[in-house]
Amino acid sequence: MKKLLHVMGWLCLLSSSTFGQVLTVKDQVTQQPLEMVQLSGVNTTQPIFTDSKGKVDVSPFKGLDSVVVRLVGYDQKILSYGQLQRMGFQLYLRENKIALNTVVVSATRWQQDAKEVPQRVSTIRPKDVLLRQPQTAADMLGQTGEVYIQKSQGGGGSPMIRGFATNRVLIAVDGVRMNTAIYRSGNLQNVISLDPFATQRTEVLFGPGSVMYGSDAIGGVMNFYTLSPKYATDATQVVKGNAVVRWSSANNEKTGHLDLSYGLKKWAFLTSATFSDYGDLRMGSRGPDDYLRREYVRTQNGHDEVIANPDQERQVDTGYDQLNLMQKIRYRASDNWELQYGFHYSATSNVPRYDRLTLYRNGTLRSAEWYYGPQVWAMQHLQATHRANNKLFDQLSIGLAHQLFEESRHNRDLGKAARYNRHEKVNAYSANLDFEKALGQRHHLFYGLETVINKVHSTGTDQNVNTGAVAPGPSRYPDGADWSSHAAFLTYRFKAGEKLTVLTGARYNHILLNANFDNSFYDLPFTSADINTGAVTGSAGMVFSPVLSWQLSSNLSTGFRSPNVDDIGKIFDSAPGLVVVPNPDLKPEYAYNADLGAAKTFGEVLKLDATAFYTYLQDALVRRDYTLGGESSIEYEGERSQVQAIQNAAFARVWGVQAGMELKLPAGFGLAARYNVQHGREELDNGTEAPLRHAAPAFGTARLTYTRLRLKADLYTVYNGAIRYNQLAPEERDKAYLYATDRNGNPYSPAWANLNLKALYQLTQHLSLSAGIENITDQRYRPYSSGIAAAGRNVVLSVRATL
């Protein structure tokens, strides 16, 4: 028996010598394998890389004293082959965010080094999500300290970027434009349709992105890249998966997530599902009493009753639930062709419009009901990628997508029988043709074509809740309206040398809109609206690195937003006593932007960066008083209301600074901070200027992190400056119910700061725990322009199992 074991041992040794020695590289904290880790040595002509399992054959390095191990975002290691052997060919890398050499896609729709991009791009990675445990995609953006989030209700989350929001910032999913023809200037919550658990990476491009993304990309672009299945790298199959359960105390959140990936040599599949149930949100105990939920309405036996709230910190009618599903299929037809199909589905339950439910009229609550119906988003996306080496392109990407959006609004006044129901559906079709071509070592072209078509369906009914009778009602938008965009673009990158990169681009966009109005309910002085217009945008920027530790950048760019169906054809009450009506005489608004940035690293210890920006918006589409058929007010849903309309009536200016710091301290500690300050001014009808509505107060984050072995902890604060009454935009002054009251009885948004602690511990390679306490000091605060107070002290617990 001993001889047999001895022989088997020699056979194993001979086998490893013959077939090579495999090294496995993993993340130090999560213990997960790391793909595309580069290993190089003095005797190797080409570097080698780890596969999807984090494995690589290192036998070519046998006997070497120096093997260099590199991966973007991690500490570089230089080890001898003998050291690797003594470590059992198991290597753990530690995360390092100090370096400047990250990779981004947003600037050109193709992968390139961030150090060659003149615009600021912020990246959110899966590890950030694992530690911070955001409830929604909006919370995920807000936790970066660089995107400001407004909320009107529990199922809310409207991003503000550099003084712009809603239909002046663009959302893209796997490169597909998500903005539709009914994105409004008011607050939007469409970003919550995206699932943080199913997101592989998120990039935020700051400043105009119209050259690559067309209309709406004025303040910035939020790009969400979802999980993608992995192929097997050898004859065996690859099976990976994650299961997560999470609970949060502030709104009794219960979330479950599951994703499973299966890969073969030519086929790969991925399925993802997440369900979240959110209860009513509790606010903090220390802060303005203006935010307390003192009473609410319940309908019993057909009668509306105002009920005193026994727990005024509980924000009654903020709960909802949400389902997210995703299916991906990849097929590698050959070495040069690949197909990928993705199906995405998201649906919420009814979502109470909390800010409207807290509005008073004549000393009592105004609404008995005000809720959004289920917000549904479904997307089918087929993408083909081809690699070649011809005169036209090195890489080609063809994308075809269809998206379905459904939303509705339902409201009824206290003591009234009439419930007003408005339903909207948008079918969005898009086709993208993107090319990449290298012309030698210094010249690179990115160019393409894009077509987007939106079909809008909008209906309205008025229902008597006592009798059940339903009658036709006015629709929110002209039913059957269509909006389309057709564009060609080109971006040119010139590497003048190792120190200087120039990136320029131009785009021509043609916009068509057609809408026919139904005059059955309103006496409109027109029957149709048509837009047939073009827009030219461009950008020119440069990045200069005098030494590896310095990065200096400047960028000039233009952006535009063409009027959409919401601008031209909407009828709705923007605030009590105000009704917005259609205006067919609109033209695009244009933005002119300048950026100046600098980043400096001090060894692998400290990184400082700052970007200053200035944006001028010409022919701004803003809401102003209007007349309809000579009348300045009309009857709307039983109330006499001032008439307003979207008009090209102003200019706007926004300027500010984004700055950050990251410091690597001894013993696994680190410090990081982000700070954003922006100021905005808008022209009024009388020629004077007033604060711009979506220019958020100064805000940011500061973090103390600790990483050691399998543990990562984050003690951080999120802070927000005040906006005094004289700093509020006129539109916000008219919404006093959203704000606290100052000593003079005027609305204002107080400053606030919270303290939070999060921790992630990897129990085993397959099981991890996340825990945290948010708002430790239980502050009661409401972010600027929001209609709901933030969570009070909140305990978050999460368990994750990995296959």
Side-chain angles (χ1 to χ4, degrees):
M1 185 67 180
K2 289 183 178 179
K3 290 184 178 180
L4 177 61
L5 291 174
H6 187 68
V7 170
M8 290 179 64
W10 275 105
L11 288 174
C12 290
L13 181 62
L14 178 63
S15 174
S16 65
S17 174
T18 303
F19 296 103
Q21 179 61 59
V22 175
L23 171 72
T24 302
V25 186
K26 297 180 180 180
D27 181 277
Q28 176 183 301
V29 175
T30 66
Q31 305 285 291
Q32 295 305 302
L34 296 174
E35 187 178 6
M36 293 304 293
V37 178
Q38 175 183 308
L39 290 87
S40 59
V42 293
N43 294 332
T44 55
T45 56
Q46 293 290 337
I48 58 176
F49 298 89
T50 58
D51 61 17
S52 60
K53 298 178 182 179
K55 296 182 181 297
V56 62
D57 181 4
V58 292
S59 55
F61 303 127
K62 188 172 183 179
L64 292 187
D65 292 331
S66 297
V67 179
V68 182
V69 184
R70 298 187 184 93
L71 180 62
V72 172
Y74 287 83
D75 285 338
Q76 175 179 295
K77 284 185 176 291
I78 302 177
L79 302 165
S80 69
Y81 184 87
Q83 286 176 300
L84 294 175
Q85 193 172 36
R86 287 191 292 275
M87 297 165 68
F89 294 100
Q90 295 281 330
L91 180 61
Y92 296 89
L93 297 185
R94 178 183 172 184
E95 185 181 11
N96 182 1
K97 297 182 180 181
I98 302 298
L100 298 173
N101 57 332
T102 57
V103 176
V104 297
V105 178
S106 301
T108 60
R109 302 169 75 103
W110 296 97
Q111 282 194 1
Q112 67 182 105
D113 290 339
K115 63 183 179 181
E116 297 177 348
V117 176
Q119 287 180 269
R120 172 158 181 78
V121 181
S122 176
T123 302
I124 306 171
R125 298 165 302 166
K127 285 187 290 185
D128 301 323
V129 177
L130 284 177
L131 175 63
R132 298 170 187 172
Q133 291 294 319
Q135 289 191 347
T136 68
D139 295 331
M140 180 177 70
L141 291 168
Q143 289 175 354
T144 64
E146 297 189 84
V147 178
Y148 196 88
I149 300 298
Q150 181 276 351
K151 294 185 180 183
S152 295
Q153 62 276 333
S158 185
M160 298 182 186
I161 301 176
R162 289 190 173 184
F164 297 103
T166 60
N167 53 20
R168 288 176 178 149
V169 295
L170 189 130
I171 304 171
V173 183
D174 292 334
V176 179
R177 172 194 179 92
M178 194 174 179
N179 291 40
T180 71
I182 63 171
Y183 267 36
R184 56 191 180 273
S185 59
N187 299 304
L188 289 167
Q189 53 274 348
N190 296 73
V191 75
I192 73 166
S193 294
L194 302 171
D195 182 4
F197 286 110
T199 302
Q200 180 63 40
R201 187 180 76 260
T202 302
E203 294 178 1
V204 182
L205 175 72
F206 293 91
S210 290
V211 169
M212 299 307 301
Y213 298 95
S215 180
D216 301 8
I218 290 178
V221 180
M222 293 160 283
N223 280 292
F224 296 84
Y225 301 97
T226 58
L227 295 174
S228 185
K230 303 289 187 181
Y231 294 116
T233 55
D234 49 37
T236 62
Q237 60 191 16
V238 174
V239 180
K240 292 186 175 182
N242 297 280
V244 182
V245 291
R246 184 177 64 210
W247 173 80
S248 300
S249 64
N251 57 358
N252 197 27
E253 176 211 6
K254 296 174 285 291
T255 290
H257 166 79
L258 178 67
D259 67 76
L260 184 64
S261 176
Y262 176 71
L264 300 169
K265 288 284 287 184
K266 287 184 172 292
W267 290 90
F269 307 86
L270 185 143
T271 301
S272 174
T274 303
F275 180 78
S276 296
D277 177 73
Y278 306 105
D280 289 336
L281 182 66
R282 289 188 59 83
M283 67 181 76
S285 61
R286 302 172 58 192
D289 290 344
D290 307 77
Y291 306 147
L292 293 173
R293 178 70 148 138
R294 302 183 187 281
E295 52 191 4
Y296 56 92
V297 176
R298 286 292 179 266
T299 303
Q300 301 177 15
N301 300 320
H303 178 68
D304 296 332
E305 295 184 14
V306 177
I307 299 173
N309 188 4
D311 182 0
Q312 297 185 10
E313 293 173 5
R314 176 186 163 214
Q315 299 178 88
V316 177
D317 294 326
T318 53
Y320 73 104
D321 58 64
Q322 180 168 333
L323 173 68
N324 283 84
L325 302 173
M326 184 178 75
Q327 179 66 55
K328 290 278 192 78
I329 302 173
R330 292 177 72 185
Y331 173 59
R332 185 159 50 196
S334 68
D335 290 340
N336 296 324
W337 276 102
E338 182 185 62
L339 298 176
Q340 179 163 274
Y341 168 77
F343 172 73
H344 306 256
Y345 177 81
S346 173
T348 68
S349 63
N350 290 338
V351 179
R353 178 72 186 267
Y354 181 78
D355 61 338
R356 292 298 184 95
L357 292 173
T358 61
L359 180 62
Y360 282 77
R361 179 172 60 184
N362 300 324
T364 189
L365 290 169
R366 173 178 175 171
S367 297
E369 301 176 70
W370 215 124
Y371 62 93
Y372 292 112
Q375 177 176 287
V376 176
W377 170 63
M379 180 173 81
Q380 297 189 77
H381 180 211
L382 178 64
Q383 187 172 28
T385 304
H386 179 50
R387 295 175 180 84
N389 186 14
N390 56 47
K391 294 181 179 180
L392 290 179
F393 62 87
D394 298 327
Q395 292 191 73
L396 161 67
S397 177
I398 304 169
L400 302 173
H402 168 255
Q403 296 179 83
L404 172 67
F405 300 83
E406 292 185 14
E407 58 186 53
S408 61
R409 294 160 178 80
H410 311 266
N411 64 288
R412 181 174 65 84
D413 284 351
L414 182 69
K416 301 293 180 64
R419 178 194 291 142
Y420 303 103
N421 307 300
R422 306 293 180 258
H423 296 262
E424 289 77 47
K425 180 186 294 186
V426 178
N427 282 283
Y429 307 87
S430 62
N432 291 83
L433 195 59
D434 296 318
F435 300 89
E436 179 186 9
K437 178 62 181 177
L439 304 173
Q441 296 294 319
R442 294 190 173 189
H443 309 277
H444 219 108
L445 295 179
F446 310 91
Y447 61 100
L449 303 171
E450 180 184 67
T451 290
V452 179
I453 299 173
N454 283 195
K455 298 285 187 179
V456 178
H457 301 280
S458 183
T459 60
T461 60
D462 297 341
Q463 180 181 5
N464 187 306
V465 296
N466 294 330
T467 65
V470 178
S475 61
R476 180 179 173 90
Y477 301 110
D479 189 35
D482 60 77
W483 179 95
S484 63
S485 166
H486 312 278
F489 59 87
L490 170 68
T491 295
Y492 166 59
R493 186 181 74 202
F494 172 55
K495 284 188 69 67
E498 291 298 320
K499 296 182 178 181
L500 178 64
T501 302
V502 178
L503 192 67
T504 64
R507 180 188 185 100
Y508 176 74
N509 228 113
H510 201 83
I511 304 292
L512 300 171
L513 185 151
N514 178 264
N516 295 308
F517 296 95
D518 180 3
N519 283 344
S520 302
F521 300 95
Y522 302 104
D523 185 19
L524 302 176
F526 43 80
T527 59
S528 65
D530 294 279
I531 287 181
N532 186 339
T533 187
V536 177
T537 54
S539 64
M542 59 181 292
V543 181
F544 178 59
S545 299
V547 293
L548 289 176
S549 62
W550 268 103
Q551 180 175 308
L552 305 174
S553 62
S554 64
N555 192 62
L556 300 174
S557 57
T558 62
F560 83 101
R561 188 174 77 83
S562 178
N564 62 18
V565 174
D566 183 271
D567 298 311
I568 282 180
K570 178 171 59 180
I571 301 177
F572 87 114
D573 61 326
S574 62
L578 298 175
V579 61
V580 176
V581 300
N583 178 12
D585 301 319
L586 295 177
K587 58 183 180 180
E589 57 183 8
Y590 285 87
Y592 303 90
N593 180 81
D595 276 42
L596 187 63
K600 166 68 174 173
T601 60
F602 299 85
E604 294 187 354
V605 176
L606 175 64
K607 175 183 174 182
L608 301 174
D609 70 88
T611 302
F613 63 90
Y614 178 88
T615 306
Y616 180 85
L617 188 65
Q618 179 179 298
D619 295 324
L621 291 162
V622 294
R623 194 166 64 231
R624 293 285 188 264
D625 288 344
Y626 195 64
T627 59
L628 189 61
E631 296 292 329
S632 60
S633 63
I634 62 172
E635 196 76 17
Y636 182 78
E637 293 186 354
E639 182 176 354
R640 195 70 182 176
S641 301
Q642 167 69 47
V643 174
Q644 293 187 329
I646 303 294
Q647 303 171 56
N648 292 106
F651 66 80
R653 298 178 293 124
V654 184
W655 63 97
V657 174
Q658 297 172 279
M661 176 273 289
E662 293 180 28
L663 176 63
K664 186 177 179 181
L665 298 172
F669 286 96
L671 282 174
R674 300 298 315 173
Y675 180 73
N676 309 267
V677 58
Q678 52 276 306
H679 299 283
R681 305 290 293 177
E682 180 182 76
E683 181 189 29
L684 300 180
D685 287 340
N686 59 9
T688 62
E689 294 185 12
L692 186 65
R693 175 187 179 190
H694 288 130
F699 70 98
T701 62
R703 301 177 181 277
L704 173 63
T705 59
Y706 176 72
T707 304
R708 183 171 177 81
L709 300 178
R710 300 181 178 191
L711 173 68
K712 184 166 186 178
D714 187 359
L715 177 66
Y716 66 98
T717 179
V718 180
Y719 50 88
N720 189 133
I723 293 189
R724 306 298 175 188
Y725 175 73
N726 61 357
Q727 298 171 319
L728 280 177
E731 295 172 78
E732 296 303 299
R733 294 182 188 181
D734 292 336
K735 302 173 186 175
Y737 62 97
L738 297 180
Y739 293 97
T741 303
D742 65 18
R743 65 183 64 182
N744 298 317
N746 295 318
Y748 84 111
S749 180
W752 54 265
N754 61 30
L755 183 64
N756 315 272
L757 177 62
K758 298 285 180 66
L760 169 67
Y761 185 73
Q762 195 74 32
L763 289 170
T764 69
Q765 180 182 345
H766 302 292
L767 188 64
S768 65
L769 299 179
S770 297
I773 305 178
E774 298 175 338
N775 195 0
I776 295 172
T777 57
D778 206 28
Q779 298 298 307
R780 181 187 303 149
Y781 64 94
R782 181 177 286 182
Y784 165 71
S785 192
S786 294
I788 181 173
R793 187 180 295 115
N794 182 33
V795 176
V796 182
L797 300 174
S798 174
V799 180
R800 178 174 181 254
T802 302
L803 182 64

